[in-house]
Every structure is written in structure tokens, then in C-alpha cells.
Amino acid sequence: MTRRAQRKGLGNGFTLIELVITVAIVAILALGLLPLTQLAVQRAKESELRAALRDIRTAIDEYKRATNRKRIVKSADESGYPPNLDVLVEGVPDMTSPEERMIYFMRRIPRDPFFEDDTVPAPATWGLRSYQSPPDNPYEGDDVFDVYSRSDGVGLNGVPYREW
């Protein structure tokens, strides 16, 4: 084999330095995409939180409307809000129906997407505010007037998730 044939065979592959430079460029591009990926994940969780809060709050309001329309039995000392989140899924008897059909307000309680422990049931992932509690210092009571996230995080809009 001549020298020329040997050189021609060696020129077909990449050199080690070319491979190292290529890997370095790909790594730099990947590091640049990492913050964008984390931002997209946070946006998706925030969107899920917003939708879950809207769904639960709408169901709580519908329960209160049904109570005001005398479709749900309540005593004089009750506020008319649901006693817990589970009743929104389990349903309550409709007092205006001759067969006392059930009124359901939700199919399931969504989880707080920022709650880390997956073993906790979905209703327990939310902070509950009683009708008796002030908005700036919510606490649980005999009913559920509102729900909030228990997360200590702050949204991309600068507002803590607890205040959404």
C-alpha cells in the first residue's frame, strides 16, 4: 500500500478534537435550553393550578346557590357552604326532587399541582378557608368557603400561590 493510499484512508473519519468541539457545542446548547424547559414546566403547573382553583371555587359557589334555592337542607346556624370538599363529589340529596335525586357538583377533586406528596388524597392537598375566617388569615372551620394552595412558591407574575 502506498503512502497516498494510507493517507486517503485516514482522512475519512473525524479527529478527536472535532468530536470534542461538537460535544461541547451540543452541551452549551442543552444548558441554554434547560431554563426554558423549567419555565415551561412552571407555566404548565401554574395553568393547572389556575384551572383547579376555578373548578373548585365554581363548585363551592354552585353548592351555595343550591342551598339558597332550598335544594339542599341546612339548619339555621349553618352558612350554606359545603362542610368539606368531598361532599362536592359524593353529592347531596335534592330536596326539590320527588325521588330525592342526588346533586353532584364535581366528578373529582383536582390535586394542587404544587403539593409534593403524591400519597396524600387530593382534597387534603388544598388549604381550606371557613366562612368565619378573615381573608388575610384563613383557617378551617365548619364549612368550606374558599380554597387556596399551600405552596410557599411565588408565581411568574410575582404573586404567591397562596394568594391566587
Side-chain angles (χ1 to χ4, degrees):
M1 190 177 282
T2 66
R3 277 185 166 205
R4 190 172 185 181
Q6 288 176 345
R7 268 193 209 149
K8 190 176 180 186
L10 292 176
N12 289 339
F14 292 105
T15 64
L16 179 61
I17 195 76
E18 290 172 330
L19 289 175
V20 169
I21 290 172
T22 303
V23 168
I25 290 171
V26 170
I28 290 170
L29 290 174
L31 286 175
L33 290 177
L34 187 62
L36 293 176
T37 307
Q38 291 172 339
L39 185 64
V41 168
Q42 185 175 359
R43 277 194 182 138
K45 280 186 170 185
E46 286 186 6
S47 177
E48 190 178 338
L49 174 63
R50 196 174 293 113
L53 286 170
R54 182 180 54 246
D55 291 345
I56 295 172
R57 289 172 175 162
T58 300
I60 291 170
D61 292 342
E62 288 300 318
Y63 185 98
K64 175 65 172 158
R65 279 190 203 96
T67 302
N68 290 346
R69 293 180 183 140
K70 310 278 191 257
R71 293 182 69 191
I72 300 173
V73 175
K74 91 171 180 88
S75 63
D77 62 336
E78 291 178 334
S79 66
Y81 287 98
N84 54 51
L85 292 179
D86 291 325
V87 76
L88 299 173
V89 175
E90 295 166 0
V92 291
D94 184 353
M95 302 315 294
T96 62
S97 169
E99 303 90 31
E100 288 191 17
R101 293 183 186 170
M102 298 295 281
I103 305 172
Y104 300 98
F105 301 94
M106 299 186 83
R107 291 180 186 215
R108 66 176 183 81
I109 303 294
R111 295 184 62 77
D112 180 347
F114 290 99
F115 196 85
E116 299 297 326
D117 189 357
D118 290 337
T119 61
V120 175
T125 63
W126 298 102
L128 306 178
R129 176 180 168 215
S130 172
Y131 183 71
Q132 304 297 327
S133 71
D136 56 342
N137 186 22
Y139 58 83
E140 292 186 36
D142 296 333
D143 57 15
V144 179
F145 175 71
D146 195 13
V147 294
Y148 59 91
S149 177
R150 292 182 176 178
S151 173
D152 292 326
V154 176
L156 294 173
N157 59 2
V159 178
Y161 296 127
R162 289 177 169 265
E163 296 176 15
W164 283 27

